[in-house]
Amino acid sequence: MEGIRICGGRPLRGSVQVPGAKNAVLPVLAASILCRGPVTLENVPNLSDVAAAARILQALGGRVSQPAPGRLRVLPPEQPGRAVPRRLMQAMRSSLFFLAPVLSRTSQVQVSLPGGCDLGARPIDMHLHGLAAMGARFAQDGQALLASAPGGLRGADITLRYPSVGATETLLMAAVCARGETMIRGAAIEPEVTDLARFLQAAGACITGVGTRRLRVMGVQMLQGVRWRICPDRIAAATVLCAAAACGGRVALTGAVPDHCTAVVRALCRAGCCVTATETGIALESDGRLRGIGALLTDVYPAFPTDAAPLLAAALLRAEGESAITDTVFENRFACAAGFSALGAVAGILGRTVTIRGVRGLHGAQLAAPDLRGGAALAIGALAAEGESLLTGVEHIDRGYEDLAGLFAGLGADTARVRRREAGAG
Ligand code: EPZ
């Protein structure tokens, strides 16, 4: 079993380059199936979810190579396969993104229900209802889902009951080569959705309203190969900002897009940090003695992002005063609260809300990551604690961070990846 050893209590200082966004590259990789020529992607983060998406592309007949660090070259399949192996589907939530592009290309596809972080029920009804409006038919056999569109997908006027990121992306990918015009009303406007839309436009798709909640798509015959640079990861940026807020210090994030991080920056300023937009990104300075922020609710973009909620909670464990963060997006966002308590924090869960009363000090503990962002939050808590912690469950963390231990070590933290024999000890 692998883990991350963290000896906390040090301020963080230095500069980091913000990597490409996990939640942008994953739908773009799926969308490459719609392209009839090579797709070259730049600024691709080295994540296990990206490797999983590459395996799905290969299982569908595509070829994926890495000509240089951070660059992927995809040769989409001439005739995509019609089934994504279950073990690949269950590796992550993003395997669901392959449903629409393969259905668009082959008129039939078999997938199974996706995996991903256990944040709650995570149904896919909006994906399926939208596709059904476009002519898709579904049959379920246990975990297997067979989708077919014998006459091909046709444009439709679709209103989402909730601005689902994934459903918006699924329907965009279904619409770009469908017959006729599609309207997607009530669409998600997260930066990663915009990045996918811009990628599709660069490949020849006709989309208007990008960045708004009304997307209009006129279907085209096919998309071309394209070269595309993935947008920066605003949640990776939030992770570093919250870690520096928790530990104190001064960090600069090169490549971060300030506009994408407005709600996170506002919350950290409310907690007493000094955050500025720089020519190359964002800088944060903190003395590590934060104040509680009272009540904060997450919501869809541009509100405070659900993915950063556990990260901010971790930063507030030693803040003076009380904080209560409610996640309106997922039911089980704060599974990491048990780890906060193990570190000596006064943190509790009330439904979808994590309540925190700041304590003067935290101590090292044995920690287990419950999910991707919860794992990163426990790392932040351990960085702010005096003494040594061991964080296991790194398979969750590796899905969304290239090298979390190395990222913090590069900012002066005493963190290291540890292997089997060391991880078991202590
Ligand atoms: C995307 O998940 C992200 N994942 C998540 O990041 C992120 O937390 C989430 O958007 C919200 O911003 C990727 O992009 C790969 P949703 P997604 O559809 O698409 C419900 C991370 O850590 N819903 O916007 O699954 C759903 O249960 C991950 O990087 C339905 O009810 O999020 C949730 O309560 C975690 N029916 C809410 O909507 C549906 O058909 C928002 O989900 C779809 C969603």
Side-chain angles (χ1 to χ4, degrees):
M1 175 172 60
E2 290 194 70
I4 298 175
R5 183 182 49 73
I6 299 168
C7 292
R10 294 187 180 187
L12 300 185
R13 287 198 179 83
S15 174
V16 295
Q17 175 73 35
V18 176
K22 165 180 92 81
N23 292 347
V25 68
L26 293 173
V28 162
L29 280 169
S32 66
I33 286 208
L34 295 162
C35 300
R36 299 301 171 88
V39 172
T40 300
L41 302 177
E42 307 283 357
N43 200 30
V44 176
N46 178 23
L47 306 172
S48 58
D49 271 9
V50 171
R55 283 195 294 275
I56 293 176
L57 274 170
Q58 288 160 340
L60 292 169
R63 286 167 55 194
V64 184
S65 60
Q66 186 172 15
R71 179 181 302 155
L72 282 189
R73 180 172 163 76
V74 179
L75 286 178
E78 287 289 322
Q79 271 304 323
R82 296 186 171 194
V84 179
R86 176 178 300 184
R87 60 182 170 74
L88 296 181
M89 277 299 298
Q90 290 174 338
M92 57 182 181
R93 169 89 176 174
S94 304
S95 43
L96 182 63
F97 288 140
F98 287 86
L99 171 60
V102 177
L103 188 60
S104 172
R105 287 288 310 277
T106 67
S107 299
Q108 183 172 333
V109 60
Q110 178 172 317
V111 297
S112 56
L113 297 181
C117 289
D118 178 12
L119 301 173
R122 302 190 82 176
I124 61 172
D125 57 301
M126 286 187 268
H127 299 246
L128 303 186
H129 291 163
L131 290 173
M134 298 177 74
R137 294 290 167 261
F138 299 98
Q140 190 162 351
D141 171 15
Q143 285 289 320
L145 180 71
L146 183 61
S148 59
L153 294 172
R154 61 174 186 270
D157 190 332
I158 301 163
T159 299
L160 291 176
R161 64 177 169 78
Y162 177 91
S164 156
V165 168
T168 303
E169 291 167 338
T170 281
L171 297 175
L172 259 181
M173 290 190 277
V176 290
C177 294
R179 281 193 325 281
E181 180 179 281
T182 298
M183 280 297 295
I184 305 172
R185 304 175 195 271
I189 58 170
E190 275 67 3
E192 298 78 22
V193 176
T194 297
D195 211 46
L196 172 65
R198 298 262 188 255
F199 165 82
L200 292 167
Q201 286 176 318
C206 288
I207 308 171
T208 55
V210 175
T212 76
R213 296 200 185 283
R214 269 170 56 105
L215 295 169
R216 181 189 298 268
V217 185
M218 182 54 75
V220 296
Q221 191 68 31
M222 67 176 78
L223 299 187
Q224 310 305 321
V226 67
R227 176 183 289 271
W228 187 253
R229 182 174 180 79
I230 298 298
C231 70
D233 192 324
R234 60 195 171 101
I235 307 302
T239 306
V240 176
L241 292 173
C242 288
C247 300
R250 174 170 169 68
V251 294
L253 277 70
T254 306
V257 177
D259 283 355
H260 292 175
C261 305
T262 305
V264 170
V265 167
R266 191 180 303 126
L268 290 171
C269 291
R270 201 164 124 193
C273 297
C274 175
V275 188
T276 51
T278 65
E279 276 179 22
T280 57
I282 299 174
L284 177 142
E285 191 155 7
S286 160
D287 60 9
R289 288 195 304 278
L290 303 180
R291 51 180 181 263
I293 61 167
L296 179 140
L297 271 69
T298 71
D299 206 337
V300 297
Y301 193 79
F304 192 94
T306 171
D307 291 345
L311 310 173
L312 177 64
L316 295 168
L317 297 178
R318 293 190 307 147
E320 188 171 344
E322 307 206 337
S323 307
I325 304 174
T326 301
D327 187 14
T328 67
V329 179
F330 290 110
E331 310 94 286
N332 184 32
R333 174 53 82 180
F334 299 110
C336 56
F340 292 159
S341 302
L343 288 163
V346 177
I349 298 280
L350 280 174
R352 290 180 174 225
T353 301
V354 62
T355 58
I356 297 163
R357 181 153 45 84
V359 295
R360 288 196 62 76
L362 299 171
H363 54 72
Q366 300 276 352
L367 303 166
D371 52 61
L372 165 56
R373 306 303 174 184
L378 291 178
I380 292 172
L383 285 169
E386 294 296 334
E388 182 172 296
S389 297
L390 179 71
L391 174 59
T392 55
V394 290
E395 65 278 6
H396 294 290
I397 296 172
D398 291 345
R399 292 188 46 225
Y401 297 92
E402 293 180 324
D403 172 12
L404 193 66
L407 172 68
F408 291 137
L411 293 169
D414 181 359
T415 54
R417 189 83 172 218
V418 292
R419 299 271 175 263
R420 185 181 304 279
R421 61 179 177 287
E422 295 166 84

